[in-house]
Amino acid sequence: MVTVDEFIPEAEAEIQDEVGDGHAIIALSGGVDSSVAATLAHRAIGGQLTPVYVDTGLMRKGETEQIRETFSFMENLRVVEAQDRFLDALSGVTDPEEKREIIGAQFIREFETVANEVDADYLVQGTIYPDRIESDGEIKSHHNVGGLPDVVDFEGIVEPVRDLYKDEVREVARDLGLESIIAERMPFPGPGLAVRIIGEVTEEKVRVARESTFIVEEELEEYEPWQALAAVIGKATGVKGDNRVHGWIVAVRSVESRDGMTARAQELDWETLQRIQSRITGTLDNVSRVVYDVTHKPPATIEYE
Ligand code: XMP
């Protein structure tokens, strides 16, 4: 890459050039790539950009509030409150791939609605170099918003960070003052907490996955895992007070990895594990058991679905 100082004005000029006096739209995920693309586009074309953040209800704790705060300088920011629609669409669905498809399709519907409303001509995307380069040249199938260009008839697609590697995007983010986004912890999957819930996604299970993931990320920060998470994997008998209860089993997972392709389960000390257990069972009275996953990838995957 050219230096960051050169890159930013060049990227802005390119965006202005491509969009002209049209209107552009971008899906913000909360990740660093789309955040940088959106900020560059906003600097370049200001009110001609509509950034869209879809709250699927499957986000991490505090994520939506953080987006609102970080991007409050963007006058057209749209936060789409779609939690109920995602939950409805997922009702009764237990197959992992079907869940992913439903989430992807619902996301596109939500985004399309806004794109039509604001009459968007251009789609800005935070695609980075590694997203474009798979061994066979295909775009990664689980790229978060991979289906977008196909559904809305855009005049053009603008990808201001398409030639950058992740560390370069982070450098640009820092220069743009997006520290809170970079500091924003560990990778988080596009389908969100749904892949941390085995079987049907319900409001109750989402709450367990969200609170538990929050506790796990917080408690394990000092171990600097590549990714740490909690998943709702089933039900088990327990005792709470004087009663036997049939509560949720929460699996805790913390892995070291370079790129997510392979991973090693992290060795944690007993006190940390116990603290996580007691915080989770103390916060969530419908959780009866917490287990720690010691499986590497392979044979396990990082997420549960
Ligand atoms: P797995 O579970 O396949 O995860 O070992 C590897 C990495 O990819 C993330 N992941 C996803 N990211 N959409 C995404 O954007 C998905 O459907 C998805 N599934 C897994 C996972 O969090 C881990 O970082």
Side-chain angles (χ1 to χ4, degrees):
M1 164 174 98
V2 292
T3 65
V4 172
D5 286 353
E6 289 163 355
F7 172 80
I8 292 175
E10 276 177 27
E12 285 173 24
E14 192 189 314
I15 296 164
Q16 279 163 357
D17 206 43
E18 288 189 54
V19 176
D21 55 11
H23 197 91
I25 187 165
I26 182 168
L28 274 176
S29 69
V32 65
D33 307 341
S34 64
S35 299
V36 166
T39 305
L40 287 169
H42 182 262
R43 285 165 61 120
I45 56 172
Q48 286 164 260
L49 176 77
T50 300
V52 182
Y53 171 81
V54 178
D55 187 343
T56 62
L58 303 166
M59 323 305 291
R60 275 180 287 195
K61 189 170 172 166
E63 205 130 40
T64 303
E65 293 72 18
Q66 201 208 342
I67 293 278
R68 277 190 205 278
E69 205 178 298
T70 307
F71 297 104
S72 57
F73 64 93
M74 295 183 173
E75 58 272 40
N76 295 337
L77 174 67
R78 289 282 192 102
V79 175
V80 182
E81 305 275 359
Q83 300 94 315
D84 292 347
R85 291 191 288 277
F86 276 85
L87 262 188
D88 283 351
L90 287 165
S91 166
V93 182
T94 55
D95 179 74
E97 279 318 303
E98 204 181 325
K99 280 159 72 174
R100 270 199 174 78
E101 276 164 30
I102 288 171
I103 291 166
Q106 186 65 34
F107 186 92
I108 288 171
R109 271 198 291 279
E110 301 291 346
F111 189 76
E112 198 182 1
T113 303
V114 183
N116 289 332
E117 242 173 76
V118 301
D119 226 350
D121 320 291
Y122 293 88
L123 174 68
V124 182
Q125 283 196 303
T127 318
I128 65 171
Y129 189 66
D131 291 336
R132 299 193 290 135
I133 307 303
E134 277 281 68
S135 49
D136 57 0
E138 296 272 312
I139 303 269
K140 278 185 192 172
S141 64
H142 73 205
H143 191 271
N144 295 356
V145 288
L148 286 179
D150 302 332
V151 285
V152 188
D153 201 12
F154 293 109
E155 243 171 75
I157 294 170
V158 188
E159 297 180 318
V161 293
R162 67 182 174 278
D163 295 326
L164 305 191
Y165 282 97
K166 198 79 175 187
D167 53 328
E168 295 173 323
V169 183
R170 287 183 193 283
E171 213 182 312
V172 176
R174 213 166 285 123
D175 237 58
L176 292 170
L178 293 172
E179 273 79 7
S180 60
I181 292 288
I182 313 173
E184 199 237 346
R185 321 145 316 199
M186 302 163 199
F188 189 64
L193 297 170
V195 295
R196 299 181 180 172
I197 291 169
I198 294 195
E200 188 184 3
V201 176
T202 63
E203 208 169 342
E204 185 186 359
K205 284 155 96 177
V206 170
R207 177 162 177 264
V208 173
R210 175 180 292 125
E211 287 296 331
S212 304
T213 287
F214 175 74
I215 292 168
V216 168
E217 282 196 3
E218 196 172 79
E219 289 291 341
L220 296 184
E221 207 178 333
E222 64 188 280
Y223 283 84
E224 298 181 352
W226 192 76
Q227 199 166 13
L229 58 95
V232 183
I233 60 171
K235 283 205 143 184
T237 301
V239 258
K240 291 233 169 172
D242 293 332
N243 301 318
R244 282 169 80 85
V245 292
H246 199 216
W248 297 108
I249 309 169
V250 168
V252 174
R253 185 144 174 74
S254 184
V255 297
E256 289 162 3
S257 177
R258 254 184 57 207
D259 52 12
M261 302 293 283
T262 60
R264 288 192 68 78
Q266 248 186 343
E267 199 173 317
L268 304 179
D269 71 61
W270 185 249
E271 270 161 45
T272 306
L273 287 167
Q274 280 302 331
R275 207 167 43 242
I276 290 172
Q277 177 279 121
S278 93
R279 273 186 71 184
I280 292 176
T281 53
T283 309
L284 297 155
D285 55 15
N286 52 357
V287 174
S288 58
R289 204 171 291 249
V290 176
V291 299
Y292 185 60
D293 187 337
V294 298
T295 326
H296 304 313
K297 174 184 180 178
T301 51
I302 296 174
E303 303 290 351
Y304 275 73
E305 283 203 336

